Amino acid sequence: MNLHILVLPGDGIGTEVTREAVRVLHAVAGKWHHRLTVAEGLLGGVAIHKTGDPLPPETARLAADADATLMGAVGLPEFDDAPPEKRPEKGLLGIRKALGVYANLRPVRAYPSQLDSSPLKNHLVAGTDMVIVRELTGGIYYGTPRGIFENGAETRAVNTMTYTRAEIERIARMAFQLARGRRKKVTSVDKSNVLENSQLWRRVVTEVGREFSDVELDHLLVDNCAMQLVLNPRRFDVVLTENMFGDILSDEGAVLAGSIGMLPSASIGDRKPSGAWTGLYEPVHGSAPDIAGQNKANPLGAIGSVAAMLEYSFGLKEEAAAVNAAIEAVMQSGKVTADLRPPGSPATTEEVGQAVCAAV
Ligand code: NAD
């Protein structure tokens, strides 16, 4: 298969972890005889330094041409007080929008070797294996009218939570299709006891669910879901929810698994002419200025994002499973970075990347 990948290393540890992720990509391509082309582009603080723009038009063009995009992280402390248009994070929202990725997938898996890093008791978190599917381009973060309307004591702030039937249908279909390849269970999360928006969400998800009679569907109110995630995380297979609820629940899900450095994410849109699914893959963590340039960032979130890319954009399930198995093997060997608190001296970012390649 031809794999045409754009890499956007970004800032801070983004450059360090993507280097290892690309190393793993080359190892997979070599073993399974795929033809890999890797282009590199500018995004975030480094792009502002070189072009004045957090998302230069050339980067958007490269992303449109590539089959899939692998991103590191953006953000530099020197831009903390910059106006919104000149902040590295603007590039992140811009690239998501440019690619039209409307579904954010975050796998949450409790690795047996890392149970002690979880804030939950081992017996609660052991066996957890879910994917949170969050709608990414609609809902209250994008709805209008919005704004602060100044009027003395009557000053009002307004945000609008809005979804169309079509927006709910496409994300629901994605969740059900994903569930078919897993344990065949979708839990849809809403607040339909209070919000009309959620009532439409529940109605449309139920209708789409009828097309997938082999997949079990249940509904949870978002407050109950927040509680069940820590009481009984094993009950979840695919969690489907709208933008803001997903933003909150996916961070709650993230801490179940231990270190933030281990968590991959995938944002998916429609199919490309090449047949690949449009996808933007990135670790969940940021640019971590506190440890940047020290070769000690955990690259497993970025490497897990490569596994997600192989599976979701290219349908290469065997290769994806091999990368995930290699991550698990390396964790069990204890050759991990300091954030995972290994018994002996911690491995460097580069050593972990090399170990994953060897295990692949
Ligand atoms: P962060 O995720 O960068 O760091 C939080 C803490 O986790 C830090 O102590 C860091 O050292 C640690 N950490 C993060 N990733 C790690 C890894 N791979 N290995 C080991 N330890 C790791 O979040 P922050 O400090 O809130 O933000 C720093 C910058 O990153 C900010 O500019 C922020 O806007 C940006 N940010 C970007 C993204 C993104 O690009 N998707 C996401 C979150 C934050």
Side-chain angles (χ1 to χ4, degrees), residues 13 17 71-77 80 87-89 92 96 259-262 282-291 296-301 337-339:
I13 64 166
V17 298
M71 214 173 75
V74 299
L76 291 174
D80 280 354
R87 287 181 61 108
E89 292 78 1
L92 187 67
R96 287 179 182 157
S259 166
I260 190 169
M262 284 168 44
E282 53 180 311
V284 165
H285 62 75
S287 56
D290 53 335
I291 57 165
K296 64 187 203 189
N298 186 344
L300 294 178
T337 43
D339 54 308

Side-chain angles (χ1 to χ4, degrees), residues 217-265:
L217 168 66
D218 70 341
H219 301 275
L220 274 189
L221 296 175
V222 61
D223 39 349
N224 188 15
C225 181
M227 193 166 69
Q228 296 304 325
L229 275 173
V230 291
L231 284 179
N232 186 14
R234 269 193 304 269
R235 87 179 281 295
F236 296 105
D237 179 18
V238 175
V239 178
L240 163 65
T241 194
E242 63 89 49
N243 203 344
M244 180 171 63
F245 298 159
D247 190 3
I248 298 165
L249 295 176
S250 59
D251 269 23
E252 190 188 354
V255 296
L256 298 179
S259 166
I260 190 169
M262 284 168 44
L263 297 166
S265 86

Side-chain angles (χ1 to χ4, degrees), residues 12-13 16-17 19-20 259 261 285 288-300 336-342 346-352:
I13 64 166
E16 299 165 49
V17 298
R19 192 178 304 128
E20 301 316 313
S259 166
H285 62 75
D290 53 335
I291 57 165
Q294 298 172 37
N295 200 13
K296 64 187 203 189
N298 186 344
L300 294 178
V336 293
T337 43
D339 54 308
L340 295 180
R341 283 177 256 130
T348 63
T349 309
E350 194 177 349
E351 284 166 348
V352 174

